[in-house]
Amino acid sequence: MTTNAARTVFLLAHTGRPAAIRSAELVVQGLLRSGLGVRVLATEAADLPLPPTVATVTDATPEAVNGCELLVVLGGDGTLLRGAELARASGVPMLGVNLGRVGFLAEAERDDLDKVVDRVVTRAYTVEERMTIDVVVHSNGTVVHTDWALNEAAVQKVSPERMLEVVLEIDGRPVTGFGCDGIVCATPTGSTAYAFSAGGPVVWPEVEALLMVPISAHALFAKPLVTSPTSVLAVEVQPHTPHGVLWCDGRRTVALPAGARVEVRRGAVPVRLARLHQASFTDRLVAKFALPVSGWRGAPH
């Protein structure tokens, strides 16, 4: 796992896609030509045409990125969230290159690979911290599961023919109860992910807040809620309802028995993201969703 280079970059890629394989090859070649070391997972190295100077590690653990200054991730949203897990655990900043569709976590697109390599080599990037959430599941008064998420923790129904009956709580006080398909508790980063699909608001990343967004609720008052970042959100699954399921970032899941209680609060550990551009989130939003802005004249001068 050693390298002769004084600077090392960890590369994570979705090697199941031909585009990712070619992109990974170009990034590796560019970094090596500039004298940087590259480290990859052994399972991914088997699918990539890599020179022997590229170091490999067996498992994606925090120790795997020891000594690395950056984690470069090539892929769609799923791969970027996989990279976020490693970035959070290690504290190494993640630079995402979008090879999927929307890719709000990505800082660059497939056509920007040369620019990505140049910015990494010259350290022409900044690092920002993104808020996470910590999740605790209680059952019969006992903690049965703990987790975290960068985007969201979603409490969802399992039985398609029956709604999930829940009661929502903010800061120790009940808000409302209803039957629904689920509840999404999200960060500002996650406001453009599952919470957005459920009808939640778009929240700018620099805003510190927590979101609670119902999914297909059968109720008159089932509006998205935006709370203080210090608030504690809770979703109680009613004892008489079918069991549910908790998904964190759509990657990690645990069953929720009837009567379970899910608590969500601001995460103790953020995810660090490398930024190449100083463009506003407004411009990113317009570009990612191809929003119609023709006719805009701007503020009068």
Side-chain angles (χ1 to χ4, degrees):
M1 200 175 84
T2 59
T3 176
N4 294 325
R7 300 172 57 199
T8 304
V9 172
F10 197 100
L11 182 70
L12 194 67
H14 183 353
T15 55
R17 296 181 177 182
I21 294 176
R22 179 55 181 160
S23 297
E25 185 180 9
L26 292 174
V27 170
V28 169
Q29 290 174 350
L31 293 173
L32 292 178
R33 279 198 302 268
S34 300
L36 273 69
V38 178
R39 193 181 302 166
V40 300
L41 289 173
T43 52
E44 296 180 359
D47 298 324
L48 298 172
L50 300 176
T53 52
V54 173
T56 61
V57 291
T58 304
D59 301 312
T61 63
E63 293 73 26
V65 294
N66 279 350
C68 294
E69 68 176 63
L70 205 60
L71 170 64
V72 176
V73 182
L74 308 175
D77 289 337
T79 308
L80 292 171
L81 286 170
R82 181 162 64 99
E85 293 177 354
L86 190 54
R88 174 183 175 271
S90 65
V92 175
M94 180 181 81
L95 174 58
V97 179
N98 180 38
L99 302 183
R101 292 189 298 172
V102 181
F104 262 97
L105 286 175
E107 185 61 17
E109 302 295 325
R110 183 179 309 165
D111 296 336
D112 300 329
L113 292 177
D114 289 341
K115 182 186 296 184
V116 168
V117 171
D118 179 68
R119 294 291 187 88
V120 172
V121 170
T122 60
R123 289 195 175 101
Y125 59 85
T126 59
V127 176
E128 68 177 30
E129 292 187 347
R130 289 293 181 93
M131 176 179 166
T132 61
I133 51 177
D134 288 335
V135 187
V136 179
V137 180
H138 300 260
S139 182
N140 296 320
T142 302
V143 174
V144 295
H145 182 74
T146 60
D147 217 314
W148 74 281
L150 173 61
N151 278 344
E152 76 281 312
V155 176
Q156 295 179 272
K157 69 178 186 178
V158 174
S159 304
E161 72 279 4
R162 293 189 61 184
M163 291 186 294
L164 191 69
E165 297 286 341
V166 299
V167 175
L168 308 184
E169 173 190 299
I170 306 291
D171 294 330
R173 303 303 303 161
V175 177
T176 186
F178 43 61
C180 60
D181 285 355
I183 301 290
V184 180
C185 298
T187 65
T189 298
S191 72
T192 51
Y194 195 2
F196 177 84
S197 300
V202 174
V203 180
W204 267 234
E206 59 267 26
V207 175
E208 295 191 338
L210 295 174
L211 286 72
M212 182 178 270
V213 183
I215 306 171
S216 302
H218 191 70
L220 291 177
F221 184 84
K223 298 297 184 181
L225 304 176
V226 181
T227 76
S228 161
T230 60
S231 289
V232 178
L233 316 184
V235 180
E236 293 188 350
V237 179
Q238 294 291 71
H240 60 271
T241 194
H243 70 281
V245 63
L246 170 70
W247 282 94
C248 290
D249 282 342
R251 290 183 48 79
R252 303 175 303 279
T253 184
V254 64
L256 297 175
R261 173 185 172 89
V262 179
E263 293 182 351
V264 174
R265 52 176 50 82
R266 181 177 190 154
V269 181
V271 170
R272 304 175 70 215
L273 298 182
R275 299 290 308 274
L276 303 181
H277 311 287
Q278 298 305 314
S280 71
F281 180 74
T282 305
D283 292 338
R284 179 182 292 244
L285 192 70
V286 169
K288 293 292 185 180
F289 287 134
L291 300 178
V293 293
S294 60
W296 177 73
R297 291 175 294 176
H301 298 287

